[in-house]
């Protein structure tokens, strides 16, 4: 934590101030709840340090170092979380790590991501909006993320891209698929819905705003 303190401070700032990432504030309590649900299995195990876990730790530190030196925030932040995950397995051992596999993996959602898909979602939303606008009988023309209508010129701004809907729904979807479903076909179908439905809903919301 001390080594990657700048990354943790920056991530915490984004959790608290950036609307697209505020759902991450629920991730630590969810991880705690997942671990608590496994307390029975954990009680039968004796934690034991596992030296091969040091290789995972070195790999995580390498990711963090590359991100830090190159000033690529998301890589450095991912490395900081990977260090935490690797340390957990190295200190507690592979048997405990197997029981805690999902909570440990779920910690990946501590990394604030989504900025990378803002522009593609803007363009996709704009295309859905122009289609809905024409469908409703309103004459309009599209130029990139701008929609020109008789009522005025509208822009599908970054805040209207729907990133916060998609990222939050994927986070919740992974949890729901793991805890509430059995069978990978059902889980994958549910995750696909968690990706598609927020995108479509955001397009309808933006189209309704213009209408």
């Amino acid at each position: 934590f001390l080594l990657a303190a700048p990354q943790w401070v920056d991530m915490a700032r984004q959790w608290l101030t950036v609307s697209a990432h505020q759902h991450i504030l629920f991730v630590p309590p969810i991880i705690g709840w997942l671990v608590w649900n496994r307390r029975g299995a954990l009680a039968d195990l004796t934690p034991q340090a596992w030296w091969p876990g040091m290789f995972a730790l070195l790999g995580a530190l390498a990711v963090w170092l590359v991100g830090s030196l190159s000033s690529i925030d998301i890589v450095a932040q991912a490395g900081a979380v990977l260090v935490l995950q690797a340390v957990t397995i190295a200190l507690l051992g592979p048997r405990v790590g197997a029981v805690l596999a999902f909570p440990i993996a779920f910690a990946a959602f501590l990394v604030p991501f989504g900025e990378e898909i803002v522009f593609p979602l803007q363009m996709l939303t704009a295309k859905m909006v122009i289609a809905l606008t024409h469908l409703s009988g309103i004459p309009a023309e599209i130029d990139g993320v701008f929609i020109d209508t008789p009522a005025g010129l509208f822009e599908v701004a970054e805040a209207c891209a729907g990133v916060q809907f998609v990222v939050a729904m994927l986070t919740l979807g992974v949890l729901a698929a793991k805890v509430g479903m059995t069978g990978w076909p059902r889980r994958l179908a549910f995750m696909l819905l968690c990706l598609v439905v927020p995108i479509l809903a955001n397009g309808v919301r933006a189209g309704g705003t213009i209408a």
Side-chain angles (χ1 to χ4, degrees):
F1 273 113
L2 291 176
L3 189 64
Q7 284 71 40
W8 286 106
V9 170
D10 188 45
M11 284 192 288
R13 178 190 58 79
Q14 293 185 63
W15 302 342
L16 292 169
T17 62
V18 181
S19 61
H21 303 314
Q22 288 179 338
H23 68 279
I24 300 179
L25 291 170
F26 291 98
V27 172
I30 288 172
I31 294 173
W33 174 72
L34 291 169
V35 174
W36 177 254
N37 284 346
R38 289 158 174 77
R39 65 190 182 279
L42 292 173
D44 297 329
L45 299 175
T46 301
Q48 185 175 2
W50 187 51
W51 72 264
M54 295 300 294
F55 291 109
L57 176 58
L58 290 174
L61 286 170
V63 173
W64 168 80
L65 186 61
V66 168
S68 298
L69 294 178
S70 60
S71 298
I72 303 177
D73 290 340
I74 191 170
V75 175
Q77 292 165 359
V81 174
L82 282 171
V83 167
L84 181 64
Q85 294 167 315
V87 163
T88 302
I89 295 174
L91 289 178
L92 300 181
R95 295 183 65 193
V96 176
V99 174
L100 296 179
F102 182 69
I104 292 173
F106 196 76
F109 286 108
L110 291 170
V111 180
F113 69 94
E115 297 297 327
E116 304 77 18
I117 60 173
V118 168
F119 181 71
L121 285 181
Q122 275 183 280
M123 298 300 296
L124 182 57
T125 301
K127 291 179 180 178
M128 286 191 288
V129 166
I130 192 67
L132 291 172
T133 303
H134 288 162
L135 190 62
S136 63
I138 301 173
E141 295 182 0
I142 184 173
D143 182 12
V145 296
F146 295 96
I147 309 292
D148 192 8
T149 74
L153 183 65
F154 294 85
E155 178 189 3
V156 181
E158 291 185 2
C160 299
V163 171
Q164 60 267 42
F165 302 144
V166 174
V167 174
M169 186 60 72
L170 285 177
T171 303
L172 180 62
V174 168
L175 176 66
K178 172 61 178 178
V179 174
M181 298 181 182
T182 57
W184 281 105
R186 181 177 296 181
R187 287 172 174 169
L188 291 174
F190 181 73
M191 289 305 303
L192 182 62
L193 284 175
C194 288
L195 176 64
V196 172
V197 170
I199 294 175
L200 293 178
N202 185 62
V204 172
R205 179 197 61 78
T209 300
I210 290 182

